[in-house]
């Protein structure tokens, strides 16, 4: 049985990020949200594009106003009003000023802006009531960014700030990594779909819906293959298809030691190398991680042809809580690394205060689900109510953190510090 740290290291070592030549596509800027940039971006534009004013006020020559005060104001002639988007017509000479607005071009001859609150205007004259600093409130051309240098590096996730920067740089199309393809299926004779009538002993398959949502949240494309009965021939057929079309395959169920748990045996028959078959974690101990050589299927459309040399396989347990915990802990970091994102793969842990008493038998690293709340400026972990059984899906709703009780730790008292895995 692997420790959690060993399992995480093995999994991340198995993942080879998408190739920045083969595994990319061009998308429009409006479709680039949450995508991973595949090549660095430069711009032919300086930022700011020209010298401009940072406030509403008066553009002046510093020499004229350096000794201004309320007791001894400087009187200047206003020669022009300059709103944003207007190109100044007049140069500013000694004894002159221009009324200027935020973002407007600085006129020739002016080197400083005096904020309007420190002035008094009378018709075409302005009194400067306080001395500004040299070049105060002037945003100089290229002071934020110089044309031709790197604007954004490859390997970053494009969120709203990056999209705004790219729009300002007039980058209408971008080269991004394709979304990793993740095949998902559930195993078990007892499983039915959400629209089937339940018979005694049957269970609705919630796992593939949860996994599809988690895969999308991780920036990948889910390929949902449905429910497969506990029958070796049917399982092998679906597994072979999944391996041929996906970068990562996730199955839920069939990885324990029961008579109808066939996943590991079929993986071995498919020449898989099994790297992990159990992890010292609760919930989620029976976890299979394997790699399989890719055998391209010439009947598949070009868009589904593999670009990786091997497929990473995760055989997750069947219980709903185990599926979610093992995905958050092991699968999500693998998808992030595969996606091309630079150095932001591993789970994020925080040390916070526990609101409730947390218990474990101490035999393995235990994860308890709940929510983080900000109380008086300090984060507290509130354990979800009800049973923390791996089969209890209901109290997982609204989970945004998992409290971690390490091996040997049986009790964390209220107000004691606890390490949590932050989700989302």
């Amino acid at each position: 049985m692997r420790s959690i740290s060993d399992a995480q290291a093995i999994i991340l070592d198995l993942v080879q990020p998408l190739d920045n030549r083969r595994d990319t596509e061009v998308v429009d800027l409006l479709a680039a949200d949450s995508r991973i940039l595949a090549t660095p971006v430069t711009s032919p534009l300086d930022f700011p594009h020209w010298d401009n004013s940072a406030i509403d006020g008066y553009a002046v020559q510093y020499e004229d106003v350096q000794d201004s005060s309320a007791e001894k104001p400087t009187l200047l002639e206003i020669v022009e009003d300059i709103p944003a988007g207007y190109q100044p017509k007049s140069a500013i000479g000694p004894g002159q000023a221009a009324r200027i607005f935020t973002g407007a071009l600085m006129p020739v001859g002016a080197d400083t802006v005096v904020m309007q609150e420190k002035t008094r205007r009378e018709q075409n004259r302005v009194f400067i009531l306080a001395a500004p600093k040299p070049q105060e409130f002037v945003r100089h051309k290229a002071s934020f960014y110089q044309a031709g240098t790197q604007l954004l590096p490859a390997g970053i996730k494009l969120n709203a700030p990056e999209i705004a920067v790219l729009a300002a740089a007039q980058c209408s199309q971008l080269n991004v990594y394709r979304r990793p393809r993740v095949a998902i299926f559930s195993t078990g004779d007892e499983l039915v779909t959400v629209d089937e009538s339940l018979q005694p002993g049957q269970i609705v398959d919630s796992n593939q819906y949860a996994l599809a949502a988690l895969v999308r949240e991780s920036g990948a494309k889910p390929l949902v293959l449905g429910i497969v009965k506990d029958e070796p021939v049917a399982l092998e057929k679906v597994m072979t298809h999944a391996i041929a079309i996906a970068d990562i395959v996730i199955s839920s169920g069939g990885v324990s030691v029961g008579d109808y748990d066939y996943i590991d045996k079929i993986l071995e028959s498919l020449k898989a190398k099994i790297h992990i078959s159990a992890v010292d974690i609760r919930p989620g101990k029976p976890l299979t991680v394997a790699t399989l050589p890719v055998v391209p299927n010439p009947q598949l459309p070009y868009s589904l042809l593999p670009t990786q040399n091997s497929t990473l396989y995760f055989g997750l347990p069947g219980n709903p809580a185990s599926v979610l915990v093992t995905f958050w802990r092991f699968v999500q970091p693998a998808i992030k690394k595969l996606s091309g994102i630079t150095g932001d793969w591993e789970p994020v842990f925080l040390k916070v205060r526990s609101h409730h008493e947390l218990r474990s038998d101490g035999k393995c690293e235990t994860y308890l689900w709940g929510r983080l709340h900000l109380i008086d400026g300090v984060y507290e972990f509130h354990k979800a109510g009800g049973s923390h059984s791996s089969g209890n899906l209901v109290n997982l709703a609204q989970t945004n953190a998992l409290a971690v009780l390490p091996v040997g730790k049986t009790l964390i008292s209220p107000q004691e510090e606890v390490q949590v895995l932050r989700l989302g």
Side-chain angles (χ1 to χ4, degrees):
M1 185 185 304
R2 299 284 186 177
S3 70
I4 290 179
S5 59
D6 283 350
Q8 176 179 296
I10 290 168
I11 291 166
L12 289 178
D13 282 345
L14 292 173
V15 178
Q16 294 302 313
L18 295 175
D19 189 274
N20 64 2
R21 293 162 297 177
R22 296 179 303 164
D23 295 312
T24 63
E25 58 188 5
V26 176
V27 298
D28 291 336
L29 182 59
L30 281 174
D33 180 46
S34 298
R35 301 301 296 271
I36 309 300
L37 195 59
T39 53
V41 173
T42 60
S43 173
L45 300 174
D46 290 317
F47 287 85
H49 309 321
W50 45 74
D51 291 356
N52 69 90
S53 176
I55 59 165
D56 293 349
Y58 291 87
V60 301
Q61 293 187 353
Y62 176 72
E63 253 185 57
D64 282 341
V65 299
Q66 60 183 324
D67 297 321
S68 303
S69 66
E71 295 77 24
K72 191 178 178 182
T74 301
L75 179 62
L76 302 175
E77 177 192 5
I78 301 170
V79 297
E80 189 172 20
D81 280 8
I82 309 172
Y86 172 82
Q87 188 165 346
K89 302 293 190 296
S90 303
I92 302 303
Q96 296 180 329
R99 177 75 166 113
I100 195 166
F101 297 88
T102 304
L105 271 71
M106 288 291 291
V108 174
D111 59 15
T112 301
V113 176
V114 181
M115 67 169 58
Q116 65 184 26
E117 291 85 353
K118 295 182 179 180
T119 67
R120 185 178 77 250
R121 181 170 181 168
E122 293 182 1
Q123 297 181 340
N124 68 335
R125 301 183 304 170
V126 62
F127 291 88
I128 308 301
L129 306 177
K133 297 176 183 177
Q135 303 185 52
E136 191 169 23
F137 298 119
V138 177
R139 296 188 290 218
H140 291 284
K141 178 181 179 181
S143 60
F144 302 163
Y145 167 81
Q146 187 172 4
T149 60
Q150 182 173 282
L151 182 62
L152 293 176
I156 63 169
K157 186 178 180 181
L158 298 174
N159 294 316
E162 292 78 25
I163 297 294
V165 168
L166 292 164
Q170 296 186 315
C171 297
S172 60
Q173 292 191 316
L174 300 164
N175 191 34
V176 299
Y177 286 103
R178 67 171 175 83
R179 295 188 187 277
R181 296 188 292 264
V182 181
I184 300 164
F185 66 92
S186 302
T187 69
D189 292 341
E190 75 279 16
L191 299 178
V192 296
T193 63
V194 295
D195 52 0
E196 289 183 74
S197 297
L198 277 176
Q199 302 300 318
Q202 293 184 327
I203 302 170
V204 176
D205 174 27
S206 62
N207 287 344
Q208 66 174 305
Y209 291 91
L211 288 169
L214 289 167
V215 165
R216 288 191 193 95
E217 289 174 12
S218 303
K221 180 180 180 180
L223 308 174
V224 180
L225 304 182
I227 299 169
V228 186
K229 297 296 183 183
D230 288 323
E231 200 282 308
V233 174
L235 276 168
E236 182 173 341
K237 182 178 179 180
V238 171
M239 290 168 68
T240 301
H241 175 63
I243 293 159
I245 64 172
D247 303 295
I248 292 175
V249 178
I250 306 174
S251 63
S252 63
V255 290
S256 192
V257 292
D259 292 343
Y260 297 96
D261 293 321
Y262 297 117
I263 294 294
D264 286 9
K265 293 176 184 177
I266 296 172
L267 285 171
E268 290 171 356
S269 72
L270 295 174
K271 310 300 182 188
K273 182 175 181 180
I274 296 178
H275 304 271
I276 299 170
S277 57
V279 179
D280 194 15
I281 185 173
R282 179 176 295 160
K285 177 181 173 181
L287 172 69
T288 294
V289 180
T291 49
L292 299 101
V294 173
V295 179
N297 184 345
Q299 297 180 337
L300 290 173
Y302 178 78
S303 62
L304 289 180
L305 289 177
T307 56
Q308 304 283 82
N309 294 324
S310 64
T311 299
L312 182 60
Y313 191 104
F314 288 94
L316 305 186
N319 284 319
S322 300
V323 165
L324 290 168
V325 170
T326 51
F327 184 96
W328 283 320
R329 189 62 184 84
F330 301 114
V331 184
Q332 191 169 61
I335 294 175
K336 285 185 175 181
K337 183 176 180 182
L338 177 64
S339 72
I341 197 167
T342 302
D344 188 25
W345 317 318
E346 297 187 3
V348 176
F349 289 95
L350 305 173
K351 286 190 175 180
V352 304
R353 191 170 60 197
S354 179
H355 182 76
H356 296 103
E357 180 179 278
L358 307 177
R359 286 189 173 275
S360 162
D361 63 11
K363 294 179 180 178
C364 59
E365 190 163 300
T366 300
Y367 287 68
L368 301 173
W369 44 96
R371 289 189 61 78
L372 284 177
H373 293 280
L374 193 60
I375 309 294
D376 296 329
V378 177
Y379 274 112
E380 279 191 354
F381 175 78
H382 290 231
K383 186 182 74 167
S387 165
H388 278 245
S389 161
S390 61
N392 183 9
L393 177 62
V394 175
N395 69 346
L396 276 158
Q398 302 184 69
T399 294
N400 67 6
L402 301 174
V404 183
L405 278 72
V407 176
K409 186 75 171 178
T410 59
L411 172 66
I412 291 177
S413 301
Q415 305 307 306
E416 187 179 344
E417 192 175 72
V418 62
Q419 182 171 257
V420 301
L421 170 57
R422 187 168 187 171
L423 309 176

